[in-house]
Amino acid sequence: MRIRKGVAALLTLLLLLVGVFCAAKAVRFFYQRAYPLEYEQTVRSASEEQSLAPSFVFAVIRTESSFRPDVESSVGARGLMQITEETFQWIQYRMKEESGASFDDLFDGETNIRYGTFLLRMLLDEFGSEANALCAYHAGWGNAQKWLENPEYAPDGKNITKIPFGDTKRYVEKVLDTKKMYEKLYDFSASRP
């Protein structure tokens, strides 16, 4: 009788461990579906070319378009990384682009990622941190520059710590939280800049 109770307890423990393992796998599967790696090769390649963390690029794409290449915002921003026509033309100028790409080409995922990652790299170089660059990406270069020059928003003149636009504040927080989630779910160590 004592042996049966021991076996039953052992089986119960084993079933419990298998259940916990399966539940953990199910939760991870759920989160990986919610935080996909769509356009993975393009994102990894463009991230490497621009010395960006792939998790950062995936986070921007997920936040901007939820990986829908054909989306257009109310202000006319297009594609995966939501680039406006004015920004597209500015990027082309800065890239010394002569490929003949048009604004309509931003509905192509690879083209959009190429331009979007170039823009992110420029903003990171200009503004020094991912949070500052995201302020510029969302609210515009001029606003981010003004905030950095204002001690109320950037006491040290280098980091925007108080974002005056509520939608931009939420955007920056969402992208950075999403980046952290990508880093928890996936191994980007082989492609870190």
Side-chain angles (χ1 to χ4, degrees), residues 136 176-177:
L176 294 177
D177 287 347

Side-chain angles (χ1 to χ4, degrees), residues 56 60 63-64 87 119-120 122-124 126-149 153-154 158-176:
F56 184 54
V60 170
T63 302
E64 288 287 352
T87 302
L119 176 60
L120 283 176
M122 287 181 50
L123 294 174
L124 274 167
E126 176 73 23
F127 292 101
S129 74
E130 289 178 347
N132 289 349
L134 289 170
C135 284
Y137 196 91
H138 189 264
W141 183 92
N143 284 320
Q145 191 62 45
K146 281 191 279 188
W147 299 340
L148 279 171
E149 294 168 0
Y153 305 127
K158 295 178 183 177
N159 297 290
I160 301 168
T161 58
K162 182 179 176 189
I163 302 170
F165 296 174
D167 59 335
T168 300
K169 181 180 187 297
R170 287 185 296 277
Y171 173 80
V172 171
E173 289 170 351
K174 184 174 182 179
V175 172
L176 294 177

Side-chain angles (χ1 to χ4, degrees), residues 21-36:
F21 176 78
C22 289
K25 286 286 193 187
V27 168
R28 185 170 187 80
F29 176 76
F30 168 79
Y31 277 107
Q32 285 180 333
R33 300 233 345 139
Y35 295 84

